[in-house]
Amino acid sequence: MVNTAQLFRDELTGLHHRAFFLDRLSEAAEAAQTQRQALALLLVDLDNLFLINMERGRDSGDRALVALAATLQRSARPGDTVARLQGDQFVLLLPGTSLATATQFACGIRSLVGRAHDVHPEVGTIDVCIGVAARPAHDAWRAHDLLALADLRLNSAKRSRHRPGWTQQVWAGPPDLPDEDGADD
């Protein structure tokens, strides 16, 4: 008998998979607009998975993905959604969260990920780039726009790592509008 809960999970990491996340994103965007709440999204990319696979073997690459998934899951708050989108790319959906709060959250995740190798020394040091996007409660937007903006900012974070003097691995960009989430920051 098939466990229906497993149909919505990534086999390797145990996280929700892309199709589940896209449904959840649509629901969360609609709810955020109806309830006039902010909504943020973190797009997380594991750096150098190809090199980990080549230098240490695919088992180490899989362990790196599992270690990152566990770190993201532990970091999530109740009501957040964590998913593996594809390959080395993960996403966190943060309802009721402003850009400023989401950026702080992303920086905290980056510092935790750097310590993941302490738990799994055979993986080696792992690192991530994160694109942060948020839409304020009073703005009109579509779910796909939020994901596209996070993707643009993730690509900016990746590019900034290769510029001399730039080490920015969390890229949020300027706020689109004043961001208020009602949270105690």
Side-chain angles (χ1 to χ4, degrees), residues 105-119:
F105 193 74
C107 289
I109 287 173
R110 269 218 66 251
S111 101
L112 289 174
V113 167
R115 288 182 244 158
H117 71 281
D118 296 336
V119 178

Side-chain angles (χ1 to χ4, degrees), residues 11-164:
E11 189 175 315
L12 177 65
T13 64
L15 295 179
H16 295 294
H17 60 55
R18 182 181 187 87
F20 177 89
F21 168 75
L22 292 174
D23 284 345
R24 180 68 189 109
L25 175 60
S26 293
E27 292 169 3
E30 186 176 319
Q33 288 182 351
T34 301
Q35 298 167 9
R36 299 188 56 81
Q37 292 184 334
L39 180 65
L41 190 145
L42 307 181
L43 199 52
V44 181
D45 187 82
L46 177 63
D47 289 344
N48 302 316
L49 179 61
F50 176 77
L51 291 176
I52 294 169
N53 285 337
M54 292 299 291
E55 293 173 2
R56 296 177 176 261
R58 290 203 181 273
D59 287 343
S60 287
D62 286 350
R63 284 192 293 274
L65 291 167
V66 169
L68 176 56
T71 299
L72 296 176
Q73 191 65 48
R74 281 192 311 273
S75 300
R77 308 164 303 181
D80 292 346
T81 300
V82 183
R84 182 178 180 197
L85 286 187
Q86 60 192 10
D88 60 357
Q89 200 168 81
F90 297 82
V91 65
L92 283 89
L93 185 62
L94 311 171
T97 305
S98 69
L99 182 62
T101 302
T103 302
Q104 290 173 347
F105 193 74
C107 289
I109 287 173
R110 269 218 66 251
S111 101
L112 289 174
V113 167
R115 288 182 244 158
H117 71 281
D118 296 336
V119 178
H120 301 280
E122 69 279 3
V123 170
T125 301
I126 61 174
D127 207 351
V128 295
C129 285
I130 303 175
V132 183
R135 291 295 186 210
H138 54 278
D139 195 12
W141 47 274
R142 298 177 318 192
H144 177 73
D145 297 335
L146 189 63
L147 186 56
L149 181 58
D151 189 50
L152 285 172
R153 289 182 174 164
L154 174 62
N155 289 327
S156 293
K158 288 179 183 181
R159 280 193 311 274
S160 73
R161 292 189 50 166
H162 301 293
R163 293 183 187 149

Side-chain angles (χ1 to χ4, degrees), residues 99-100 134 153 172-179:
L99 182 62
R153 289 182 174 164
D176 298 313
L177 293 171
D179 52 340

